[in-house]
Amino acid sequence: MLTSIDRPLIIAGKTFNSRLMTGTGKYRSIAQMQKSIIASGCEIVTVAVRRVQTKAAGHEGLAEAIDWTKIWMLPNTAGCQTAEDAVRVARLGREMAKLLGQEDNNFVKLEVIPEGKYLLPDPIGTLQAAEQLIKEGFAVLPYINADPLLAKRLEEAGCVTVMPLGSPIGSGQGIRNLANIQIIIENAQVPVVVDAGLGTPSEAAQAMEIGADALLINTAIACAEDAPLMAQAMGMAAVSGRLGYLAGRIPVAKVAIASSPQTGTINS
Protein backbone atom coordinates (compact mmCIF):
# COMPACT_ATOMS: atom_id res chain seq x y z
CA MET A 1 0.00 0.00 0.00
CA LEU A 2 1.42 3.39 -1.00
CA THR A 3 0.51 6.33 1.22
CA SER A 4 0.05 9.84 -0.09
CA ILE A 5 3.14 11.18 1.68
CA ASP A 6 5.45 8.36 0.61
CA ARG A 7 7.33 7.56 -2.55
CA PRO A 8 7.21 4.13 -4.17
CA LEU A 9 9.86 1.47 -3.70
CA ILE A 10 12.15 1.38 -6.73
CA ILE A 11 14.43 -1.58 -7.38
CA ALA A 12 16.54 -1.72 -10.55
CA GLY A 13 14.28 0.88 -12.14
CA LYS A 14 11.08 -1.05 -11.43
CA THR A 15 8.44 0.57 -9.22
CA PHE A 16 6.50 -1.18 -6.46
CA ASN A 17 3.83 0.26 -4.18
CA SER A 18 4.05 -2.45 -1.52
CA ARG A 19 7.12 -2.65 0.71
CA LEU A 20 6.43 -6.24 1.77
CA MET A 21 7.81 -9.18 -0.18
CA THR A 22 6.64 -12.70 0.61
CA GLY A 23 7.70 -16.24 -0.19
CA THR A 24 6.17 -19.51 -1.31
CA GLY A 25 7.69 -22.11 1.02
CA LYS A 26 6.33 -23.91 4.10
CA TYR A 27 2.62 -23.28 3.46
CA ARG A 28 0.20 -26.03 4.41
CA SER A 29 -1.32 -25.89 0.94
CA ILE A 30 -1.19 -24.02 -2.34
CA ALA A 31 -4.57 -22.50 -1.49
CA GLN A 32 -3.19 -21.07 1.77
CA MET A 33 -0.29 -19.57 -0.14
CA GLN A 34 -2.58 -17.98 -2.72
CA LYS A 35 -4.84 -16.46 -0.05
CA SER A 36 -1.84 -15.18 1.91
CA ILE A 37 -0.23 -13.48 -1.07
CA ILE A 38 -3.47 -11.65 -1.79
CA ALA A 39 -4.03 -10.74 1.87
CA SER A 40 -0.50 -9.37 2.24
CA GLY A 41 -0.90 -6.89 -0.60
CA CYS A 42 2.61 -7.76 -1.75
CA GLU A 43 3.81 -7.27 -5.32
CA ILE A 44 7.01 -9.34 -5.16
CA VAL A 45 7.06 -13.07 -4.37
CA THR A 46 10.28 -15.05 -4.11
CA VAL A 47 10.43 -18.57 -5.53
CA ALA A 48 13.08 -21.23 -4.86
CA VAL A 49 14.24 -22.18 -8.35
CA ARG A 50 15.61 -25.58 -7.33
CA ARG A 51 12.39 -26.63 -5.61
CA VAL A 52 10.25 -25.64 -8.56
CA GLN A 53 12.60 -27.28 -11.07
CA THR A 54 12.64 -30.56 -9.11
CA LYS A 55 8.92 -30.38 -8.17
CA ALA A 56 9.86 -30.72 -4.50
CA ALA A 57 7.10 -31.48 -1.98
CA GLY A 58 4.79 -28.49 -1.61
CA HIS A 59 6.07 -26.88 -4.80
CA GLU A 60 4.20 -28.95 -7.39
CA GLY A 61 2.27 -26.60 -9.63
CA LEU A 62 3.55 -23.59 -7.72
CA ALA A 63 4.68 -21.66 -10.77
CA GLU A 64 1.19 -21.96 -12.28
CA ALA A 65 -0.60 -21.13 -9.02
CA ILE A 66 0.34 -17.44 -9.02
CA ASP A 67 -0.86 -14.77 -11.43
CA TRP A 68 2.49 -13.54 -12.73
CA THR A 69 0.80 -10.70 -14.60
CA LYS A 70 0.16 -9.12 -11.18
CA ILE A 71 3.06 -10.45 -9.09
CA TRP A 72 6.73 -9.85 -9.86
CA MET A 73 8.75 -13.05 -9.53
CA LEU A 74 11.94 -12.97 -7.48
CA PRO A 75 13.73 -16.25 -8.27
CA ASN A 76 16.07 -17.28 -5.46
CA THR A 77 19.07 -19.57 -5.24
CA ALA A 78 18.05 -21.32 -2.00
CA GLY A 79 19.90 -24.59 -1.51
CA CYS A 80 23.09 -23.42 -3.20
CA GLN A 81 26.24 -23.97 -1.15
CA THR A 82 28.79 -22.42 -3.53
CA ALA A 83 29.07 -19.35 -5.71
CA GLU A 84 29.29 -21.52 -8.82
CA ASP A 85 26.09 -23.38 -7.97
CA ALA A 86 24.27 -20.12 -7.21
CA VAL A 87 25.25 -18.64 -10.58
CA ARG A 88 23.98 -21.72 -12.40
CA VAL A 89 20.65 -21.72 -10.53
CA ALA A 90 20.24 -17.97 -11.07
CA ARG A 91 20.46 -18.55 -14.82
CA LEU A 92 17.75 -21.18 -14.56
CA GLY A 93 15.62 -18.76 -12.55
CA ARG A 94 15.88 -16.09 -15.21
CA GLU A 95 14.73 -18.56 -17.84
CA MET A 96 11.87 -19.67 -15.60
CA ALA A 97 10.67 -16.07 -15.23
CA LYS A 98 10.79 -15.59 -19.00
CA LEU A 99 8.83 -18.79 -19.62
CA LEU A 100 6.14 -17.49 -17.27
CA GLY A 101 5.80 -14.28 -19.25
CA GLN A 102 8.17 -11.90 -17.48
CA GLU A 103 10.51 -11.35 -20.41
CA ASP A 104 12.30 -8.40 -18.81
CA ASN A 105 12.79 -10.03 -15.40
CA ASN A 106 16.49 -10.23 -14.54
CA PHE A 107 15.96 -10.22 -10.76
CA VAL A 108 17.58 -12.84 -8.54
CA LYS A 109 17.65 -13.18 -4.78
CA LEU A 110 21.17 -14.45 -4.25
CA GLU A 111 21.64 -17.00 -1.46
CA VAL A 112 24.91 -18.88 -0.89
CA ILE A 113 24.54 -20.95 2.28
CA PRO A 114 27.17 -23.66 2.87
CA GLU A 115 25.94 -25.09 6.20
CA GLY A 116 22.60 -26.45 7.34
CA LYS A 117 22.32 -25.74 11.07
CA TYR A 118 22.23 -21.95 11.26
CA LEU A 119 21.78 -21.31 7.52
CA LEU A 120 24.07 -18.30 7.59
CA PRO A 121 25.12 -16.89 4.22
CA ASP A 122 28.71 -17.19 3.00
CA PRO A 123 30.01 -13.61 2.60
CA ILE A 124 32.87 -14.49 0.25
CA GLY A 125 30.81 -16.80 -1.95
CA THR A 126 27.98 -14.26 -2.05
CA LEU A 127 30.31 -11.48 -3.24
CA GLN A 128 31.91 -13.76 -5.85
CA ALA A 129 28.54 -14.88 -7.22
CA ALA A 130 27.17 -11.34 -7.20
CA GLU A 131 30.09 -10.02 -9.24
CA GLN A 132 29.61 -12.74 -11.86
CA LEU A 133 25.84 -12.33 -12.07
CA ILE A 134 26.11 -8.56 -12.41
CA LYS A 135 28.46 -9.10 -15.38
CA GLU A 136 25.70 -11.26 -16.91
CA GLY A 137 23.09 -8.53 -16.56
CA PHE A 138 21.26 -9.74 -13.46
CA ALA A 139 19.63 -7.40 -10.95
CA VAL A 140 21.11 -8.99 -7.82
CA LEU A 141 19.41 -8.84 -4.42
CA PRO A 142 21.93 -10.50 -2.07
CA TYR A 143 20.95 -12.15 1.22
CA ILE A 144 23.67 -11.40 3.78
CA ASN A 145 24.58 -11.27 7.42
CA ALA A 146 24.10 -7.81 8.89
CA ASP A 147 27.65 -6.82 7.94
CA PRO A 148 27.91 -3.11 7.04
CA LEU A 149 31.23 -3.53 5.20
CA LEU A 150 29.98 -6.43 3.09
CA ALA A 151 26.77 -4.54 2.34
CA LYS A 152 28.78 -1.60 1.02
CA ARG A 153 31.04 -3.86 -1.06
CA LEU A 154 28.02 -5.50 -2.66
CA GLU A 155 26.45 -2.12 -3.39
CA GLU A 156 29.70 -0.91 -4.97
CA ALA A 157 29.81 -4.08 -7.06
CA GLY A 158 26.41 -3.16 -8.52
CA CYS A 159 23.80 -5.02 -6.43
CA VAL A 160 20.38 -3.36 -6.60
CA THR A 161 19.55 -3.98 -2.94
CA VAL A 162 21.15 -5.48 0.13
CA MET A 163 19.14 -7.91 2.25
CA PRO A 164 20.55 -8.29 5.77
CA LEU A 165 19.05 -10.93 8.04
CA GLY A 166 17.30 -9.90 11.23
CA SER A 167 18.14 -13.28 12.76
CA PRO A 168 18.55 -16.83 11.40
CA ILE A 169 16.08 -17.98 8.72
CA GLY A 170 12.79 -19.24 10.13
CA SER A 171 13.87 -18.68 13.74
CA GLY A 172 11.28 -16.05 14.64
CA GLN A 173 13.87 -14.38 16.88
CA GLY A 174 13.15 -10.92 15.50
CA ILE A 175 15.93 -8.39 14.98
CA ARG A 176 19.00 -9.51 16.92
CA ASN A 177 21.49 -7.20 15.19
CA LEU A 178 19.70 -3.87 15.26
CA ALA A 179 22.81 -1.69 15.48
CA ASN A 180 24.43 -3.24 12.42
CA ILE A 181 21.24 -2.99 10.36
CA GLN A 182 20.96 0.67 11.31
CA ILE A 183 24.53 1.25 10.07
CA ILE A 184 23.72 -0.53 6.79
CA ILE A 185 20.63 1.66 6.34
CA GLU A 186 22.57 4.82 7.14
CA ASN A 187 25.29 4.07 4.57
CA ALA A 188 23.28 2.45 1.77
CA GLN A 189 22.43 4.17 -1.49
CA VAL A 190 20.30 1.20 -2.59
CA PRO A 191 17.16 -0.17 -0.90
CA VAL A 192 17.74 -2.16 2.28
CA VAL A 193 15.42 -5.15 2.67
CA VAL A 194 15.33 -6.84 6.09
CA ASP A 195 15.07 -10.54 5.40
CA ALA A 196 14.80 -13.55 7.75
CA GLY A 197 13.98 -14.03 11.39
CA LEU A 198 11.01 -11.69 11.76
CA GLY A 199 8.21 -13.42 13.65
CA THR A 200 5.56 -10.87 14.51
CA PRO A 201 3.99 -7.73 13.03
CA SER A 202 5.62 -5.65 15.79
CA GLU A 203 9.05 -6.87 14.67
CA ALA A 204 8.17 -6.08 11.06
CA ALA A 205 7.10 -2.59 12.08
CA GLN A 206 10.33 -2.14 14.06
CA ALA A 207 12.41 -2.91 10.98
CA MET A 208 10.52 -0.31 8.98
CA GLU A 209 10.63 2.25 11.79
CA ILE A 210 14.45 2.27 11.75
CA GLY A 211 14.43 3.08 8.04
CA ALA A 212 14.45 -0.23 6.15
CA ASP A 213 13.03 0.20 2.67
CA ALA A 214 11.23 -3.15 2.58
CA LEU A 215 10.80 -6.54 4.24
CA LEU A 216 10.85 -10.12 3.02
CA ILE A 217 8.78 -12.41 5.24
CA ASN A 218 7.98 -16.07 4.58
CA THR A 219 8.03 -18.41 7.59
CA ALA A 220 6.23 -16.07 9.97
CA ILE A 221 3.32 -15.95 7.54
CA ALA A 222 3.32 -19.49 6.15
CA CYS A 223 3.62 -21.20 9.55
CA ALA A 224 1.20 -18.98 11.46
CA GLU A 225 -1.99 -20.61 12.73
CA ASP A 226 -3.92 -18.42 10.28
CA ALA A 227 -1.52 -17.67 7.45
CA PRO A 228 -3.73 -15.25 5.44
CA LEU A 229 -4.54 -13.27 8.58
CA MET A 230 -0.86 -13.03 9.49
CA ALA A 231 -0.09 -11.98 5.92
CA GLN A 232 -2.57 -9.14 6.23
CA ALA A 233 -1.08 -8.16 9.60
CA MET A 234 2.44 -8.10 8.17
CA GLY A 235 1.31 -5.96 5.25
CA MET A 236 -0.27 -3.49 7.65
CA ALA A 237 2.82 -3.53 9.87
CA ALA A 238 5.02 -2.62 6.91
CA VAL A 239 2.81 0.38 6.21
CA SER A 240 2.58 1.37 9.88
CA GLY A 241 6.32 1.12 10.42
CA ARG A 242 7.03 3.08 7.26
CA LEU A 243 4.66 5.86 8.33
CA GLY A 244 6.30 5.93 11.76
CA TYR A 245 9.70 6.33 10.13
CA LEU A 246 8.50 9.12 7.86
CA ALA A 247 6.74 10.89 10.74
CA GLY A 248 9.89 10.97 12.89
CA ARG A 249 9.75 9.67 16.43
CA ILE A 250 10.19 11.85 19.52
CA PRO A 251 13.59 11.89 21.27
CA VAL A 252 14.08 9.46 24.14
CA ALA A 253 14.18 11.35 27.46
CA LYS A 254 15.60 10.21 30.79
CA VAL A 255 12.77 11.81 32.77
CA ALA A 256 9.05 12.36 32.34
CA ILE A 257 7.94 15.34 30.28
CA ALA A 258 4.41 16.51 31.03
CA SER A 259 2.02 16.34 28.10
CA SER A 260 -0.17 19.09 29.55
CA PRO A 261 1.15 22.69 29.87
CA GLN A 262 2.28 23.84 33.32
CA THR A 263 0.81 27.33 32.87
CA GLY A 264 -2.81 28.30 33.40
CA THR A 265 -3.43 25.65 36.04
CA ILE A 266 -6.21 26.08 38.63
CA ASN A 267 -5.10 26.94 42.17
CA SER A 268 -7.36 26.12 45.07
Side-chain angles (χ1 to χ4, degrees), residues 25-217:
K26 300 185 179 180
Y27 284 95
R28 296 177 183 88
S29 67
I30 291 288
Q32 283 278 294
M33 180 198 71
Q34 292 170 318
K35 291 176 182 177
S36 297
I37 289 172
I38 293 169
S40 74
C42 73
E43 295 172 303
I44 300 175
V45 171
T46 189
V47 175
V49 177
R50 274 188 156 179
R51 296 186 184 119
V52 173
Q53 292 281 332
T54 60
K55 294 182 172 59
H59 288 72
E60 307 92 338
L62 185 150
E64 295 75 30
I66 296 173
D67 185 351
W68 298 114
T69 64
K70 297 179 180 178
I71 298 292
W72 189 249
M73 178 185 289
L74 177 57
N76 71 58
T77 63
C80 293
Q81 297 183 328
T82 66
E84 294 78 10
D85 200 14
V87 169
R88 180 180 62 82
V89 171
R91 292 169 184 155
L92 292 173
R94 180 156 64 178
E95 293 308 308
M96 182 172 72
K98 293 183 188 305
L99 287 172
L100 292 171
Q102 297 186 3
E103 293 286 341
D104 60 338
N105 190 340
N106 294 311
F107 280 41
V108 62
K109 183 192 174 193
L110 176 60
E111 300 182 27
V112 182
I113 302 177
E115 57 82 34
K117 183 176 182 180
Y118 297 105
L119 298 175
L120 297 175
D122 174 3
I124 298 171
T126 299
L127 180 59
Q128 290 172 340
E131 290 173 337
Q132 178 59 39
L133 290 169
I134 290 163
K135 289 178 183 177
E136 297 183 19
F138 282 87
V140 179
L141 293 77
Y143 171 63
I144 60 171
N145 287 295
D147 180 341
L149 296 179
L150 175 61
K152 183 52 68 173
R153 283 289 303 275
L154 287 162
E155 179 185 325
E156 291 170 348
C159 290
V160 297
T161 71
V162 288
M163 304 181 74
L165 58 85
S167 54
I169 293 172
S171 68
Q173 294 177 20
I175 301 177
R176 290 299 182 92
N177 36 38
L178 186 64
N180 276 19
I181 291 178
Q182 287 176 308
I183 294 170
I184 291 172
I185 292 168
E186 180 183 346
N187 292 328
Q189 299 299 312
V190 294
V192 176
V193 183
V194 175
D195 177 16
L198 301 179
T200 65
S202 61
E203 292 162 358
Q206 181 188 27
M208 297 302 292
E209 286 170 1
I210 63 172
D213 295 280
L215 311 169
L216 198 159
I217 302 175

